[in-house]
Amino acid sequence: MDPYLKSLNWRYATKKFDDKKKVSQEDLDTLVRAMQLSVSSYGLQPYHVFIISDAALREQLKSVSWGQSQITDASHLIVFANKTAVDDELIDSYLDKVSETRGIPKDGLSGYGDFMKSKLLPLDDGTKAGWTARQTYIALGNLLSAAASLQIDACPMEGFEPEAYNEILGLKEKGLNAAVVATIGYRSEADETQHYKKVRRSKKELFTHL
Protein backbone atom coordinates (compact mmCIF):
# COMPACT_ATOMS: atom_id res chain seq x y z
CA MET A 1 0.00 0.00 0.00
CA ASP A 2 1.17 3.53 -0.76
CA PRO A 3 2.82 4.98 2.40
CA TYR A 4 0.53 8.04 2.39
CA LEU A 5 -2.61 5.92 2.10
CA LYS A 6 -1.24 3.57 4.75
CA SER A 7 -0.87 6.49 7.17
CA LEU A 8 -4.43 7.65 6.46
CA ASN A 9 -5.71 4.13 7.06
CA TRP A 10 -3.76 4.02 10.35
CA ARG A 11 -5.20 7.25 11.77
CA TYR A 12 -8.52 7.58 13.53
CA ALA A 13 -10.26 10.19 15.69
CA THR A 14 -8.51 9.33 18.93
CA LYS A 15 -10.86 9.32 21.92
CA LYS A 16 -8.39 8.60 24.70
CA PHE A 17 -4.83 9.90 24.76
CA ASP A 18 -1.89 8.74 26.83
CA ASP A 19 -1.30 11.80 29.01
CA LYS A 20 2.29 10.70 29.72
CA LYS A 21 3.42 10.89 26.09
CA LYS A 22 4.28 14.23 24.52
CA VAL A 23 4.92 15.26 20.93
CA SER A 24 8.56 16.23 20.49
CA GLN A 25 9.45 19.80 19.61
CA GLU A 26 10.88 18.59 16.30
CA ASP A 27 7.63 16.86 15.33
CA LEU A 28 5.57 19.81 16.56
CA ASP A 29 7.64 22.10 14.36
CA THR A 30 6.86 19.84 11.39
CA LEU A 31 3.13 19.99 12.12
CA VAL A 32 3.27 23.76 12.47
CA ARG A 33 5.03 24.02 9.13
CA ALA A 34 2.42 21.74 7.52
CA MET A 35 -0.34 24.05 8.74
CA GLN A 36 1.61 27.10 7.60
CA LEU A 37 1.90 25.62 4.11
CA SER A 38 -1.85 25.01 3.83
CA VAL A 39 -3.59 26.46 0.83
CA SER A 40 -6.33 29.03 1.30
CA SER A 41 -8.59 31.03 -0.97
CA TYR A 42 -6.61 33.84 -2.62
CA GLY A 43 -3.72 32.79 -0.35
CA LEU A 44 -5.07 35.08 2.39
CA GLN A 45 -4.97 32.58 5.29
CA PRO A 46 -7.71 34.50 7.15
CA TYR A 47 -7.21 32.77 10.49
CA HIS A 48 -4.84 32.31 13.42
CA VAL A 49 -3.82 29.04 15.06
CA PHE A 50 -3.31 28.68 18.81
CA ILE A 51 -1.12 25.79 20.04
CA ILE A 52 -1.95 25.25 23.68
CA SER A 53 0.04 23.16 26.13
CA ASP A 54 -0.74 25.10 29.35
CA ALA A 55 -2.50 22.63 31.68
CA ALA A 56 -4.58 25.18 33.61
CA LEU A 57 -5.85 26.83 30.45
CA ARG A 58 -6.75 23.48 28.93
CA GLU A 59 -8.67 22.54 32.08
CA GLN A 60 -10.71 25.71 31.62
CA LEU A 61 -11.36 24.84 27.98
CA LYS A 62 -12.32 21.26 28.86
CA SER A 63 -15.23 22.56 30.91
CA VAL A 64 -16.66 24.18 27.76
CA SER A 65 -15.78 21.22 25.51
CA TRP A 66 -18.44 18.82 26.77
CA GLY A 67 -15.93 17.56 29.34
CA GLN A 68 -14.03 15.60 26.71
CA SER A 69 -10.81 14.16 28.08
CA GLN A 70 -8.83 14.73 24.88
CA ILE A 71 -8.64 18.44 25.69
CA THR A 72 -6.46 17.85 28.75
CA ASP A 73 -4.91 14.43 28.11
CA ALA A 74 -3.49 15.02 24.63
CA SER A 75 -0.01 16.44 24.20
CA HIS A 76 -1.29 19.68 22.66
CA LEU A 77 -4.58 21.37 21.91
CA ILE A 78 -4.81 23.21 18.59
CA VAL A 79 -7.44 25.94 18.20
CA PHE A 80 -8.15 27.24 14.70
CA ALA A 81 -9.66 30.73 14.94
CA ASN A 82 -11.04 32.45 11.86
CA LYS A 83 -10.89 36.19 11.33
CA THR A 84 -14.32 37.74 11.76
CA ALA A 85 -13.61 40.70 9.48
CA VAL A 86 -12.49 40.70 5.87
CA ASP A 87 -11.35 44.22 5.10
CA ASP A 88 -8.79 46.33 3.25
CA GLU A 89 -6.20 45.69 5.96
CA LEU A 90 -6.33 41.89 5.52
CA ILE A 91 -5.89 42.11 1.77
CA ASP A 92 -3.29 44.91 1.81
CA SER A 93 -1.14 43.11 4.40
CA TYR A 94 -1.17 40.01 2.20
CA LEU A 95 -0.12 42.05 -0.83
CA ASP A 96 2.72 43.53 1.22
CA LYS A 97 3.90 39.99 1.97
CA VAL A 98 3.67 38.99 -1.70
CA SER A 99 5.66 42.08 -2.70
CA GLU A 100 8.33 41.38 -0.07
CA THR A 101 8.61 37.65 -0.76
CA ARG A 102 8.58 37.74 -4.55
CA GLY A 103 10.31 41.07 -5.10
CA ILE A 104 7.34 42.54 -6.96
CA PRO A 105 6.63 46.28 -6.65
CA LYS A 106 3.43 46.84 -4.68
CA ASP A 107 1.85 48.85 -7.48
CA GLY A 108 2.29 45.83 -9.75
CA LEU A 109 -0.15 43.95 -7.51
CA SER A 110 -2.86 46.60 -7.43
CA GLY A 111 -5.00 44.82 -10.04
CA TYR A 112 -5.05 41.59 -8.05
CA GLY A 113 -5.78 43.54 -4.88
CA ASP A 114 -8.67 45.38 -6.49
CA PHE A 115 -10.06 42.08 -7.78
CA MET A 116 -10.00 40.48 -4.33
CA LYS A 117 -11.60 43.53 -2.77
CA SER A 118 -14.34 43.59 -5.39
CA LYS A 119 -15.23 39.97 -4.59
CA LEU A 120 -14.82 39.93 -0.82
CA LEU A 121 -15.54 43.36 0.65
CA PRO A 122 -19.18 43.63 -0.56
CA LEU A 123 -20.12 40.39 1.24
CA ASP A 124 -22.18 40.73 4.41
CA ASP A 125 -20.48 40.03 7.74
CA GLY A 126 -22.08 36.62 8.19
CA THR A 127 -20.97 35.43 4.76
CA LYS A 128 -17.44 36.69 5.38
CA ALA A 129 -17.23 34.90 8.73
CA GLY A 130 -18.55 31.68 7.20
CA TRP A 131 -15.98 31.92 4.40
CA THR A 132 -13.03 32.51 6.75
CA ALA A 133 -14.20 29.68 9.03
CA ARG A 134 -14.20 27.26 6.10
CA GLN A 135 -10.59 28.14 5.36
CA THR A 136 -9.56 26.82 8.77
CA TYR A 137 -10.72 23.34 7.82
CA ILE A 138 -8.14 23.18 5.05
CA ALA A 139 -5.39 23.80 7.61
CA LEU A 140 -7.04 21.23 9.89
CA GLY A 141 -6.92 18.67 7.08
CA ASN A 142 -3.22 19.30 6.57
CA LEU A 143 -2.60 18.89 10.28
CA LEU A 144 -4.41 15.54 10.35
CA SER A 145 -2.55 14.19 7.32
CA ALA A 146 0.83 15.42 8.52
CA ALA A 147 0.25 13.97 11.98
CA ALA A 148 -0.69 10.61 10.49
CA SER A 149 2.49 10.58 8.40
CA LEU A 150 4.48 11.00 11.64
CA GLN A 151 2.41 8.35 13.49
CA ILE A 152 1.03 11.06 15.76
CA ASP A 153 -2.57 10.64 16.80
CA ALA A 154 -5.10 13.42 16.40
CA CYS A 155 -8.75 14.14 16.94
CA PRO A 156 -10.64 16.92 15.13
CA MET A 157 -13.37 18.33 17.38
CA GLU A 158 -16.43 20.50 16.94
CA GLY A 159 -17.85 19.53 20.33
CA PHE A 160 -17.11 22.76 22.16
CA GLU A 161 -18.72 26.12 22.91
CA PRO A 162 -17.18 28.67 20.54
CA GLU A 163 -18.39 31.71 22.46
CA ALA A 164 -16.84 30.38 25.67
CA TYR A 165 -13.55 29.67 23.87
CA ASN A 166 -13.66 33.21 22.50
CA GLU A 167 -14.06 34.60 26.01
CA ILE A 168 -11.41 32.42 27.68
CA LEU A 169 -8.82 33.05 24.95
CA GLY A 170 -9.74 36.71 24.42
CA LEU A 171 -10.43 36.11 20.75
CA LYS A 172 -13.09 38.75 20.10
CA GLU A 173 -10.65 41.50 21.02
CA LYS A 174 -8.32 40.08 18.37
CA GLY A 175 -11.05 39.93 15.71
CA LEU A 176 -11.10 36.14 15.86
CA ASN A 177 -13.58 33.33 16.48
CA ALA A 178 -12.91 29.72 17.49
CA ALA A 179 -13.96 27.67 14.44
CA VAL A 180 -12.65 24.15 15.08
CA VAL A 181 -10.14 22.47 17.39
CA ALA A 182 -7.91 19.42 17.26
CA THR A 183 -5.93 17.48 19.82
CA ILE A 184 -2.63 15.77 19.04
CA GLY A 185 -0.58 13.22 20.92
CA TYR A 186 -0.47 9.45 21.29
CA ARG A 187 -3.32 7.01 21.76
CA SER A 188 -3.94 5.30 25.06
CA GLU A 189 -3.87 1.52 25.08
CA ALA A 190 -7.28 1.76 26.76
CA ASP A 191 -8.86 3.47 23.75
CA GLU A 192 -11.05 0.77 22.25
CA THR A 193 -11.80 2.97 19.23
CA GLN A 194 -8.37 2.21 17.76
CA HIS A 195 -9.48 -1.37 17.10
CA TYR A 196 -12.60 -0.44 15.14
CA LYS A 197 -12.53 -1.11 11.40
CA LYS A 198 -12.58 2.08 9.35
CA VAL A 199 -16.00 2.72 7.83
CA ARG A 200 -16.14 4.67 4.58
CA ARG A 201 -18.54 4.78 1.64
CA SER A 202 -17.40 2.69 -1.31
CA LYS A 203 -15.70 4.44 -4.23
CA LYS A 204 -18.76 3.60 -6.35
CA GLU A 205 -21.02 5.46 -3.91
CA LEU A 206 -18.68 8.37 -3.34
CA PHE A 207 -17.23 9.20 -6.74
CA THR A 208 -18.56 9.94 -10.19
CA HIS A 209 -16.16 10.11 -13.14
CA LEU A 210 -17.47 12.20 -16.02
Side-chain angles (χ1 to χ4, degrees), residues 21-183:
K21 293 183 178 180
K22 302 299 179 185
V23 174
S24 71
Q25 188 60 53
E26 180 181 3
D27 284 344
L28 183 61
D29 289 344
T30 298
L31 297 180
V32 167
R33 182 63 171 151
M35 290 184 282
Q36 183 189 22
L37 289 171
S38 294
V39 300
S40 64
S41 187
Y42 300 107
L44 288 173
Q45 294 179 294
Y47 50 79
H48 191 83
V49 183
F50 294 85
I51 301 161
I52 304 174
S53 56
D54 182 85
L57 179 55
R58 288 165 62 182
E59 196 64 49
Q60 269 189 286
L61 294 170
K62 179 182 178 180
S63 69
V64 293
S65 305
W66 304 358
Q68 296 178 88
S69 64
Q70 298 100 308
I71 300 295
T72 50
D73 292 348
S75 177
H76 295 79
L77 169 64
I78 315 293
V79 178
F80 296 86
N82 62 297
K83 291 186 179 291
T84 54
V86 177
D87 51 21
D88 288 281
E89 182 181 358
L90 174 66
I91 295 170
D92 289 340
S93 65
Y94 171 67
L95 294 177
D96 287 339
K97 182 62 67 176
V98 173
S99 176
E100 175 189 346
T101 303
R102 297 178 178 170
I104 302 172
K106 184 73 179 291
D107 56 12
L109 300 168
S110 59
Y112 184 45
D114 290 343
F115 174 76
M116 285 191 284
K117 291 175 182 179
S118 73
K119 298 299 181 183
L120 296 174
L121 300 189
L123 300 175
D124 64 72
D125 290 344
T127 301
K128 288 177 180 175
W131 174 74
T132 58
R134 289 193 296 275
Q135 303 305 305
T136 66
Y137 282 78
I138 303 174
L140 169 66
N142 268 16
L143 169 65
L144 298 178
S145 293
S149 73
L150 295 172
Q151 299 280 282
I152 294 171
D153 290 295
C155 183
M157 305 171 72
E158 290 184 317
F160 66 97
E161 300 172 32
E163 286 299 324
Y165 265 61
N166 293 345
E167 182 176 348
I168 292 170
L169 297 175
L171 299 185
K172 282 189 176 179
E173 296 84 348
K174 300 179 176 73
L176 296 169
N177 168 71
V180 65
V181 306
T183 48

Side-chain angles (χ1 to χ4, degrees), residues 14-26:
T14 306
K15 303 304 181 187
K16 292 182 181 180
F17 285 87
D18 186 333
D19 61 3
K20 301 296 191 295
K21 293 183 178 180
K22 302 299 179 185
V23 174
S24 71
Q25 188 60 53
E26 180 181 3

